[in-house]
Amino acid sequence: MLRQILIWIAAIVAGVLLGLASAWATLHFGASTFTEHYGHWVFSRAAGSTAAGPYTRAIIARDGLLALSAREAVYFSMYQDEQGRALDEGCVYELNGRPLDARWWSVTLYADDNFLAQNTDNAHSLDASRAGNDAPWAVRISPVRGDATHWISSREARRGFIIMLRVYNPQRDFRPSKDALPVLTTISCAGDAP
């Protein structure tokens, strides 16, 4: 009798551990099942989708994205520069974009904790209202503004920050592609040889 009780306890403990391990693995590695890549931009097909399952919703909630429906907005995230390095506060970047087939767009920098960088620069993002959506635009992403016309502050963003492009009310013929999305260029990094 005691042996059967121990077997049942062991089976329950093993089931709980297996369930926790599979949930952890899904939350940490499952995002790749519903993402597409356009250059260094990562597009989540599930963000804002009513068809997203509980694990997908958990992954999106973990990342802190409060997504609108996919008809209202689509989201692209960038985690790496053109050389595959994590985005870093110690670097100066330039993001160059062209008009997008959408009503409006914005680019926002989030620190490595998925929150806005904790600085007082009041320069967390750029949007179509300031840059326009009828001509090419450029924004510098750096810890100091310098002589940039448009600037997103990376001060206190640390290493591993995220750039998020939101495209609101995309037109029916809007098709994300590497060529249509803004391009990031690293200008310099602290410690680079002159």
Side-chain angles (χ1 to χ4, degrees), residues 133-162:
N133 198 27
D134 55 358
W137 52 269
V139 60
R140 180 177 297 167
I141 300 170
S142 60
V144 294
R145 181 171 193 148
D147 60 354
T149 302
H150 299 298
W151 173 55
I152 295 176
S153 175
S154 62
R155 191 166 59 88
E156 302 298 330
R158 300 177 297 274
R159 181 176 170 77
F161 67 77
I162 303 161

Side-chain angles (χ1 to χ4, degrees), residues 30-31 33-36 43-53 55-61 65 67-70 73-75:
T33 62
F34 55 83
T35 57
E36 298 171 3
F43 171 63
S44 169
R45 286 179 276 112
S49 171
T50 56
Y55 281 121
T56 300
R57 290 172 191 256
I59 291 168
I60 292 171
L65 180 61
L68 297 173
S69 74
V74 289
Y75 304 84

Side-chain angles (χ1 to χ4, degrees), residues 97-153:
R98 299 184 305 176
L100 295 168
D101 292 330
R103 184 177 59 83
W104 198 70
W105 57 264
S106 68
V107 175
T108 306
L109 183 148
Y110 293 96
D112 61 345
D113 59 0
N114 291 326
F115 288 93
L116 295 175
Q118 296 297 305
N119 63 52
T120 57
D121 296 330
N122 197 25
H124 299 293
S125 66
L126 178 71
D127 60 56
S129 301
R130 291 189 293 148
N133 198 27
D134 55 358
W137 52 269
V139 60
R140 180 177 297 167
I141 300 170
S142 60
V144 294
R145 181 171 193 148
D147 60 354
T149 302
H150 299 298
W151 173 55
I152 295 176
S153 175

Side-chain angles (χ1 to χ4, degrees), residues 33-96:
T33 62
F34 55 83
T35 57
E36 298 171 3
H37 294 259
Y38 300 100
H40 289 284
W41 292 103
V42 178
F43 171 63
S44 169
R45 286 179 276 112
S49 171
T50 56
Y55 281 121
T56 300
R57 290 172 191 256
I59 291 168
I60 292 171
R62 182 201 61 198
D63 291 343
L65 180 61
L66 299 174
L68 297 173
S69 74
R71 289 189 317 180
E72 295 176 282
V74 289
Y75 304 84
F76 300 89
S77 302
M78 183 180 291
Y79 304 89
Q80 299 175 332
D81 67 9
E82 70 276 23
Q83 297 178 32
R85 299 176 299 191
L87 300 176
D88 194 315
E89 176 186 351
C91 296
V92 175
Y93 304 99
E94 185 169 281
L95 187 65
N96 290 280

Side-chain angles (χ1 to χ4, degrees), residues 19-39:
L20 290 173
S22 67
W24 179 88
T26 301
L27 290 176
H28 282 80
F29 306 111
S32 63
T33 62
F34 55 83
T35 57
E36 298 171 3
H37 294 259
Y38 300 100

